[in-house]
Amino acid sequence: MKNCLFCYPELEPTQNVIMSNEFCMFLQLDEAKQKGNQLEGAGVIVPRKHRKTAFDLTLEEWNATYTLLQDVKRYLDEKYQPHGYNLGWNCGEVGGQHIFHSHFHVLPRYEDEPLAGRGIRHLFKSQNNQRQDS
């Protein structure tokens, strides 16, 4: 996986390792640091070892992800003062995964967003997502 952006974060010059532990890292792009950006404060927690999806994580990686998530929340609360969060894994191409190295999205949310108060299910419940009859 020599070209994997999460195995080798340095391949993406605007990607920063904000914090890490033995099993995983919290990565954030430079654009997430911009005040008022749609994804202000957002980042991903990734396992250090290449794992295709969340279903492939070891118990140690799950536990390390949980531990790092608590540290990330404290960091984001202090630095960005969000009013809420969305957390999620995209698994598989149909599930929206574009980089096939497991990554857990941590998305701060803010009261002044046009979609404030609408969670992840809002997208899926949209009429635009109505499945066709088979």
Side-chain angles (χ1 to χ4, degrees):
M1 295 293 156
K2 300 220 183 291
N3 60 351
C4 177
L5 297 176
F6 295 153
C7 288
Y8 302 98
E10 66 277 5
L11 292 174
E12 171 52 62
T14 67
Q15 183 168 250
N16 307 283
V17 178
I18 303 300
M19 58 183 62
S20 64
N21 61 30
E22 182 181 356
F23 293 98
C24 53
M25 304 174 283
F26 177 62
L27 306 175
Q28 194 177 60
L29 295 172
D30 285 344
E31 66 188 47
K33 297 175 183 178
Q34 298 170 6
K35 182 81 173 148
N37 182 295
Q38 287 172 311
L39 294 175
E40 181 182 337
V44 291
I45 296 176
V46 301
R48 289 183 179 277
K49 289 190 178 178
H50 192 88
R51 306 283 187 226
K52 188 172 180 182
T53 73
F55 297 106
D56 301 312
L57 297 178
T58 67
L59 180 57
E60 290 85 6
E61 289 164 336
W62 272 106
N63 291 336
T65 297
Y66 171 82
T67 300
L68 189 57
L69 178 61
Q70 302 309 310
D71 295 338
V72 166
K73 183 181 184 309
R74 281 188 289 278
Y75 167 78
L76 295 175
D77 284 349
E78 183 178 316
K79 186 166 179 77
Y80 299 99
Q81 296 87 44
H83 303 107
Y85 286 91
N86 288 118
L87 304 172
W89 303 90
N90 296 328
C91 297
E93 191 172 337
V94 172
Q97 187 175 6
H98 301 287
I99 298 174
F100 292 92
H101 179 133
S102 177
H103 52 287
F104 182 48
H105 293 269
V106 181
L107 304 166
R109 300 290 305 275
Y110 303 90
E111 289 174 344
D112 62 349
E113 296 174 31
L115 297 178
R118 297 189 179 154
I120 337 178
R121 288 182 39 146
H122 172 76
L123 170 71
F124 303 116
K125 291 170 44 177
S126 165
Q127 286 299 323
N128 293 334
N129 196 41
Q130 187 69 35
R131 293 177 68 190
Q132 298 178 353
D133 291 51
S134 319

